[in-house]
Amino acid sequence: MPFWALMSVAPGWSVTRRVIGSPLIAVPVLVVYVLALLPQLAPYWAATRDH
């Protein structure tokens, strides 16, 4: 959401171009998804470790 706000408020700003152009922009979303997924994977991980 902060990236959308940045693009809406200051689309021509050089910082906006640098942030939006970086491939690292996907990292925060990826971290949130991984953190949300980890509790769901715990039972499956435990089942694979028992065999």
Side-chain angles (χ1 to χ4, degrees):
M1 194 63 163
F3 306 117
W4 285 105
L6 191 60
M7 289 188 330
S8 297
V9 173
W13 192 26
S14 63
V15 174
T16 302
R17 289 187 197 137
R18 188 170 51 223
V19 169
I20 300 302
S22 171
L24 297 177
I25 196 170
V27 171
V29 175
L30 179 63
V31 168
V32 169
Y33 282 143
V34 168
L35 290 176
L37 186 63
L38 282 178
Q40 304 299 321
L41 289 179
Y44 297 109
W45 181 257
T48 60
R49 303 268 311 198
D50 291 338
H51 295 339

